[in-house]
Amino acid sequence: MRRWRTLLATLAAAATAATMGVLAAPGAAQADANVVGGTRATQGEFPFMVRLSMGCGGALYSPNLVLTAAHCVSGTGTNTSITATLGVVDLNSSSKITRKSNYVYRAPGYNGNGKDWALIRLASPVTGLATLPIASTTAYDSGTFTISGWGAATEGGSQQRYLLKATVPFVSDTTCNSSSMYNGEIIASNEICAGYTAGGVDTCQGDSGGPMFRRDSANAWIQVGIVSWGDGCARPNKPGVYTQVSYFASTIASAAASLGG
C-alpha cells in the first residue's frame, strides 16, 4: 500500500480547518506530507501555489485549472465541493483568493499505482496570478528541486498556517529502487524521487498534489513533479516520490484543453 502524502477529509469541518492551518494529523495508516526542514516562503514568491480544502496542495496550471494528485480526488466528473485558496502564504490572510471547483478530471486508468495526477476546474478564472508551466521533456528531471506546501512540518504533525519551502536533490531511479530505499516500488518510467540520504528535508502530510519545480533555461519556474507518496516524512533513505510530469505532459495538456483551460 502506498503511503500517500495527503490528509483524508473525514470530518465535516476539514475545509474550514484547512483555512485555519489546524487540520488534525491522519491516523497511523497514513504516513503523509508537509514540508519538513523548510523555511517560510515570502508573499508572492510562489504565486502559483494552491491550497485545496480536502487537505492537499496544487499548482495553478491555467487561470481556471489546478494541477494536483489523482489520489486527492474521488474521480472524474462534476464536483462543486472543493475550495481552492490562492494568492497568499498565510491561509488566514484577508487578501486570500478563493474559488469553488465545478469539475474534476482524474488521470484515465488511475488505480493507485502511478498516474497520480488530476485537474480541478475552478468555477471562475483567477486573474493576476502567475501560472506554473509543466515540463514537456525530461531535460529538467534532475538537479535540485524546490518543494513548497502547507503540510505538516514533522511526521504526523499538524497543517501549517504559513507556506513553507525547501530544496531537495534528485535521486536516480536505480538508487531509489535499491534495497536500502524503496526496493523496487518506484515506477521508473513515470515517478521521480527527490531527497537526502540522511533525511531531514521532505514533503509531508498535506503536501500531496503540490508541485516540485525548478528553474528552466530561461530562469523561469517549471513544474517537474507532483507530490505523491513516501515512507513517512524526511526519514533517512526514504526520499519523497513524485509524479513525473514530463511523462504525462501531452495527456495533461489534452485534458486541460478539453476542460477549457
Side-chain angles (χ1 to χ4, degrees):
M1 179 180 177
R2 296 200 160 200
R3 284 75 65 194
W4 303 120
R5 298 199 157 179
T6 187
L7 291 169
L8 301 181
T10 55
L11 301 176
T16 301
T19 66
M20 298 300 292
V22 294
L23 273 179
Q30 289 288 330
D32 293 318
N34 165 326
V35 173
V36 178
T39 58
R40 192 177 293 184
T42 59
Q43 179 60 35
E45 187 173 5
F46 308 126
F48 43 78
M49 290 296 301
V50 181
R51 183 66 184 162
L52 298 170
S53 56
M54 80 287 276
C56 283
L60 196 61
Y61 176 89
S62 73
N64 68 331
L65 293 175
V66 175
L67 181 61
T68 188
H71 76 264
C72 288
V73 299
S74 58
T76 296
T78 300
N79 186 322
T80 60
S81 68
I82 301 168
T83 299
T85 300
L86 312 94
V88 293
V89 295
D90 177 3
L91 294 177
N92 287 357
S93 172
S94 60
S95 62
K96 66 186 177 186
I97 299 167
T98 59
R99 290 289 189 276
K100 298 295 288 188
S101 61
N102 65 14
Y103 195 87
V104 169
Y105 182 98
R106 193 168 70 176
Y110 172 74
N111 63 4
N113 192 35
K115 300 180 180 178
D116 195 12
W117 65 270
L119 289 166
I120 297 172
R121 189 172 66 193
L122 305 177
S124 61
V126 177
T127 58
L129 291 180
T131 57
L132 182 60
I134 63 173
S136 58
T137 74
T138 59
Y140 302 111
D141 289 350
S142 61
T144 301
F145 307 119
T146 297
I147 51 176
S148 186
W150 289 271
T154 57
E155 185 174 329
S158 299
Q159 299 293 274
Q160 302 297 297
R161 171 178 170 177
Y162 297 98
L163 182 68
L164 297 181
K165 65 176 181 177
T167 57
V168 286
F170 170 73
V171 177
S172 72
D173 293 334
T174 300
T175 300
C176 204
N177 260 332
S178 66
S179 58
S180 64
M181 289 193 176
Y182 286 111
N183 199 30
E185 291 184 73
I186 306 303
I187 304 172
S189 64
N190 61 78
E191 291 181 328
I192 297 178
C193 296
Y196 295 93
T197 302
V201 181
D202 197 6
T203 46
C204 195
Q205 295 106 354
D207 288 328
S208 273
M212 181 171 73
F213 47 100
R214 54 161 288 176
R215 297 288 187 177
D216 66 10
S217 58
N219 202 38
W221 291 121
I222 191 166
Q223 182 171 356
V224 298
I226 299 169
V227 179
S228 184
W229 65 282
D231 193 353
C233 304
R235 296 179 184 180
N237 292 309
K238 297 296 181 183
V241 184
Y242 302 79
T243 303
Q244 189 170 351
V245 171
S246 62
Y247 183 87
F248 300 104
S250 60
T251 310
I252 292 171
S254 295
S258 74
L259 295 174

